[in-house]
Amino acid sequence: MTYVISDIHGCLVEFEQLLSQIPFRDEDELYILGDILDRGPEPVKLIQKLMMYANIYPVLGNHDYMAMKVLSKLNQEITDEMLDALDTEDLMDYLYWTQDGGSVTEKRFVSLDMESRRDILDYLGECSLYEDIALGGRRYVLVHAGLDHFSAERSLESYDVSELIFARADYKKRYFTDENTYLVTGHTPTRIIREDGKDLVYQKNGHIALDCGCVYGGRLAAFRLNDHKIWYADAASRFAPASDGQC
């Protein structure tokens, strides 16, 4: 069986609950559609848990990308003196990331030994930008955010990182004319997409949107591609303010 979960954001307890519900077996595959890190309480423990599984495949999210970009340069003791030595671009990246939920990841990361830090950075560096899965006569294109500047003539390889992990999908638009091809995304909380504002998976216009806002007090969702069955784990708490559109 093939499962997809998105935007866990350090919500380790909810992830473990969801994993036990599926149930997830050694012969199954699980794709994580980005934003493993930031905002939630245990981003580092979460990513270390994912690293233990050979059959879990992470797709890069914007938070993971920014964490990797900053932490690869700050893979040392973070002090005021070291921050003073950063150039303007590095400092802006650091400030943007920490203010957008990265501070909890930074705090957990710097408490690790150097080998554990390198292992995490290597794992993030191996994340794919997208997955293209054929299953049961259907095609599923898995990306974190969307396919910006979409054209039916473009290959998936032609999209750059910003087009895949930062720019939101247009959920009112069908991207693929083939009704058996689906764009599967996270990044945008479904409470923003759905007319009823509920924290439930959105399925319409060839879209499957999975970010049900767990870190905002919503739910974590698992979607099985084989039969489109859905499982939910309710958030234990709200760990971040309600989404202001920056996901």
Side-chain angles (χ1 to χ4, degrees), residues 2-246:
T2 303
Y3 301 88
V4 188
I5 298 174
S6 187
D7 293 77
I8 309 174
H9 278 301
C11 296
L12 177 62
V13 170
E14 292 84 349
F15 174 71
E16 290 178 334
Q17 290 175 351
L18 198 56
L19 209 62
S20 68
Q21 289 180 44
I22 292 174
F24 187 55
R25 303 167 299 176
D26 290 343
E27 60 268 29
D28 296 328
E29 294 179 330
L30 170 58
Y31 292 88
I32 308 293
L33 291 191
D35 285 3
I36 299 165
L37 301 174
D38 301 350
R39 294 183 173 160
E42 295 295 348
V44 168
K45 286 185 179 179
L46 171 63
I47 198 168
Q48 288 177 319
K49 183 177 183 68
L50 298 182
M51 289 164 61
M52 297 169 59
Y53 289 86
N55 56 341
I56 292 181
Y57 307 99
V59 174
L60 194 68
N62 57 301
H63 280 267
D64 313 315
Y65 173 79
M66 289 303 300
M68 178 173 57
K69 186 176 182 181
V70 173
L71 293 176
S72 62
K73 295 182 179 180
L74 305 183
N75 192 17
Q76 55 184 298
E77 183 180 0
I78 298 178
T79 64
D80 291 339
E81 292 77 13
M82 184 273 293
L83 291 175
D84 288 340
L86 293 175
D87 63 31
T88 301
E89 182 179 350
D90 290 338
L91 184 58
M92 291 303 294
D93 284 342
Y94 175 79
L95 293 174
Y96 172 82
W97 173 62
T98 53
Q99 292 173 8
D100 194 32
S103 57
V104 63
T105 303
E106 176 195 14
K107 181 180 178 180
R108 302 289 192 268
F109 184 82
V110 299
S111 69
L112 301 174
D113 59 74
M114 192 60 69
E115 182 178 359
S116 296
R117 295 184 193 181
R118 283 195 294 265
D119 289 343
I120 288 173
L121 290 173
D122 288 345
Y123 184 76
L124 289 173
E126 293 172 358
C127 291
S128 62
L129 289 177
Y130 65 86
E131 297 287 346
D132 192 356
I133 299 173
L135 186 65
R138 296 187 289 253
R139 180 190 179 197
Y140 300 92
V141 176
L142 279 54
V143 297
H144 174 63
L147 297 173
D148 200 23
H149 306 117
F150 175 80
S151 169
E153 286 71 41
R154 290 186 69 178
S155 66
L156 292 175
E157 293 84 356
S158 72
Y159 290 88
D160 64 32
V161 63
S162 64
E163 293 177 304
L164 298 172
I165 71 171
F166 287 107
R168 298 185 190 281
D170 181 352
Y171 293 98
K172 295 179 181 179
K173 169 185 175 182
R174 177 178 288 275
Y175 283 69
F176 301 99
T177 56
D178 179 6
E179 292 187 356
N180 287 315
T181 298
Y182 299 86
L183 181 62
V184 188
T185 56
H187 189 59
T188 303
T190 57
R191 62 176 65 171
I192 297 174
I193 307 168
R194 294 175 59 98
E195 292 181 0
D196 59 12
K198 292 184 177 180
D199 296 314
L200 300 171
V201 169
Y202 174 86
Q203 299 183 73
K204 194 175 180 180
N205 298 326
H207 291 277
I208 302 171
L210 299 178
D211 180 6
C212 295
C214 184
V215 77
Y216 305 118
R219 293 168 169 157
L220 195 63
F223 189 91
R224 189 161 65 193
L225 299 184
N226 307 74
D227 56 6
H228 292 198
K229 184 173 180 178
I230 304 168
W231 292 260
Y232 294 101
D234 291 337
S237 183
R238 190 173 79 180
F239 302 108
S243 172
D244 59 1
Q246 299 297 317

